[in-house]
Amino acid sequence: MVSERVPPQDEPATTDSTAATHSEKHRPITAWVVTLMLLGCTLIAYLDKAILGLVAQPAMADLGLSAAEFGSISSAAGLLGPAAALLYSVVADRLPVKATLFTLVMVWSLLQFPVFFAASGGLLLATRFILGAAEGPTGPVSHAAAYSWWPNERRGFPTALLTTGASLGKLLFAPLLALVIAAWNWEAGFLAVALLGFAWAPAWLFLGREGPYGQAGTTTGTVTQTAPRAPVRTILLTGTFVGYVAAFTASSMLVAVVLTWLPSYFQEALGFSAVTAGSLFGVPSISAMVFLYLYGGWSDRRLRKGATSRIVRGIWGGVLLALGGVFLTALPLVSGAVLPMALLMMGYGLAMTVNAVASPALVQIVPPGQRTSVLSIGVAVAGFLAAAGPWVTGVVLDAARSADSLAEGYTNVFMLMGGVAIAGGALFALLVNPERDGAKVEAARVARAARQGP
């Protein structure tokens, strides 16, 4: 018996002629060019955050900051970011992607200069606040732009690629930034990040554009651009949206803690030099990249063969996130340098894997014209919850330092993040059901259309 393919929720069941039209619209070369440009944007955005982890020790010594104070500076970037994403969601689906991303990257780059010329704790705090506001909308814009070039059943691998912007940044540029900081001073690292942004922005103006599966004039989604939008309240109350927030909170908090404290952990707990710690900064991300690419590609293949998103994205994504948390909570059971590194690689890598399917699962339940705004709301809510991570871990480390047990403090930090990942993974697996919630949102959209009349 041949199983019938389940049409993705953000595409209608198609006839042969309509499917052929969709195939003609899909232009793989252009899609990959735009996706790789968006990867560059994501890479620079994460370097803007990772630079704090690379300069943590010399900056704290130079500026006389405690771990809690430095953690507060890192958390500052996460405070206005969610608020900016939430405000942006109001106008997100009406602003051009090209101009939005160009403006955001230019703002990030300009914000690095004051620290290079006149560093202080107050200036770091102020620029992180503003930087967070500028970076808040970046993830939703980048993912929505990428999804405009890929149909639902081909979004897993591109999403995995965008998610590895953080990993690629740490692997490719963190060692170079560590050398720049060691050769000159820690402030020079901020200048180097700014120059990367200034190089990307003009290239994006030339290459960036919206694809055939986007909101502008699309006919490939559940509704056309002129159709009534689905009620936002209905979308926000679905299990898929709640599960997305739970998983994205867990992964975002883990990323923030790793970006802020991982090099310090390598130096103070494992005994590496500053340059070695900077070079090893991206090592745990190697497993994240491998798992993301494998899972992203596998999920796409399974969807094209007719598997449901409930299983492929919801259940498997949640299981992998929770499994990553289990590895992190096992850190107290090992000693030395090799075994902790192995657990960190497995735990961080598996926990990040859910990001290959979280955003595709969420956009699957909404009309194409509401993708960017709904993603922005989800990122904002998760960002508010995750922003406290670096500060809380800084408090834990200060307490451990006072008790002369700093290595144990770092272990406790990653155990705490492991517990958050287990909880987030369980909620994601239990709640995410794009087929069910897509039908619910579509029914609400049709009901609204009926009430509004022709």
Side-chain angles (χ1 to χ4, degrees):
M1 178 177 179
V2 179
S3 61
E4 183 179 358
R5 175 183 177 271
V6 178
Q9 284 296 316
D10 67 340
E11 295 180 22
T14 59
T15 63
D16 292 341
S17 60
T18 307
T21 302
H22 291 179
S23 177
E24 291 169 3
K25 284 187 174 184
H26 181 55
R27 301 192 292 275
I29 295 178
T30 306
W32 278 116
V33 169
V34 174
T35 301
L36 290 175
M37 284 297 301
L38 294 168
L39 170 64
C41 177
T42 306
L43 186 153
I44 296 168
Y46 275 97
L47 281 178
D48 284 342
K49 301 182 183 76
I51 187 66
L52 276 189
L54 292 171
V55 306
Q57 295 305 307
M60 285 192 294
D62 191 19
L63 302 178
L65 301 173
S66 68
E69 289 170 334
F70 193 78
S72 298
I73 290 174
S74 179
S75 291
L79 293 177
L80 283 187
L86 192 60
L87 290 174
Y88 173 72
S89 69
V90 178
V91 296
D93 299 317
R94 295 190 291 272
L95 294 179
V97 168
K98 178 184 290 190
T100 299
L101 281 180
F102 174 82
T103 303
L104 291 174
V105 174
M106 290 298 293
V107 171
W108 311 340
S109 302
L110 290 171
L111 283 171
Q112 310 301 332
F113 278 102
V115 178
F116 176 71
F117 288 107
S120 68
L123 185 62
L124 267 178
L125 183 65
T127 54
R128 290 293 112 177
F129 264 119
I130 304 172
L131 182 70
E135 288 188 345
T138 305
V141 177
S142 298
H143 282 79
Y147 298 154
S148 75
W149 285 98
W150 302 96
N152 176 63
E153 69 275 14
R154 295 183 182 273
R155 290 176 183 157
F157 190 82
T159 303
L161 189 65
L162 292 183
T163 303
T164 58
S167 303
L168 289 172
K170 286 180 283 185
L171 287 170
L172 298 178
F173 291 100
L176 296 178
L177 285 176
L179 290 174
V180 168
I181 293 166
W184 284 278
N185 52 51
W186 62 270
E187 295 95 331
F190 290 87
L191 178 62
V193 174
L195 295 177
L196 286 173
F198 288 137
W200 182 90
W204 172 251
L205 277 184
F206 179 72
L207 295 171
R209 68 195 71 175
E210 187 178 37
Y213 298 95
Q215 57 177 304
T218 182
T219 59
T220 64
T222 306
V223 293
T224 62
Q225 187 182 18
T226 58
R229 294 155 64 88
V232 174
R233 182 175 180 276
T234 300
I235 297 171
L236 301 188
L237 292 178
T238 60
T240 297
F241 181 83
V242 176
Y244 171 86
V245 169
F248 202 71
T249 297
S251 64
S252 297
M253 188 176 291
L254 179 58
V255 167
V257 169
V258 165
L259 290 176
T260 305
W261 296 118
L262 189 60
S264 298
Y265 170 67
F266 287 155
Q267 292 180 61
E268 298 190 296
L270 301 185
F272 295 115
S273 68
V275 173
T276 302
S279 300
L280 292 174
F281 193 9
V283 169
S285 298
I286 294 175
S287 58
M289 295 173 63
V290 172
F291 290 137
L292 276 163
Y293 294 149
L294 289 175
Y295 181 42
W298 176 82
S299 66
D300 283 350
R301 289 193 298 273
R302 293 302 302 158
L303 288 172
R304 289 197 295 271
K305 290 182 179 180
T308 65
S309 285
R310 166 67 183 146
I311 295 175
V312 172
R313 289 171 172 167
I315 294 177
W316 275 106
V319 167
L320 291 171
L321 173 57
L323 185 59
V326 170
F327 276 99
L328 292 176
T329 58
L331 273 174
L333 304 178
V334 299
S335 59
V338 176
L339 288 179
M341 283 289 292
L343 285 178
L344 277 172
M345 288 184 69
M346 290 298 296
Y348 184 77
L350 286 169
M352 292 300 103
T353 306
V354 72
N355 291 321
V357 295
S359 293
L362 180 57
V363 301
Q364 187 178 342
I365 74 171
V366 302
Q370 292 177 264
R371 287 175 189 156
T372 310
S373 59
V374 171
L375 280 173
S376 297
I377 295 172
V379 167
V381 176
F384 279 123
L385 297 174
W391 173 75
V392 170
T393 53
V395 172
V396 172
L397 291 176
D398 279 341
R401 192 185 300 274
S402 300
D404 199 24
S405 57
L406 193 56
E408 183 180 345
Y410 280 107
T411 300
N412 291 337
V413 163
F414 288 109
M415 278 185 62
L416 176 63
M417 291 301 101
V420 172
I422 291 172
L427 289 172
F428 192 82
L430 289 171
L431 297 175
V432 171
N433 190 332
E435 286 80 14
R436 176 200 65 199
D437 294 336
K440 183 186 299 182
V441 170
E442 173 63 3
R445 186 199 67 79
V446 171
R448 168 179 280 188
R451 289 194 303 270
Q452 292 178 350

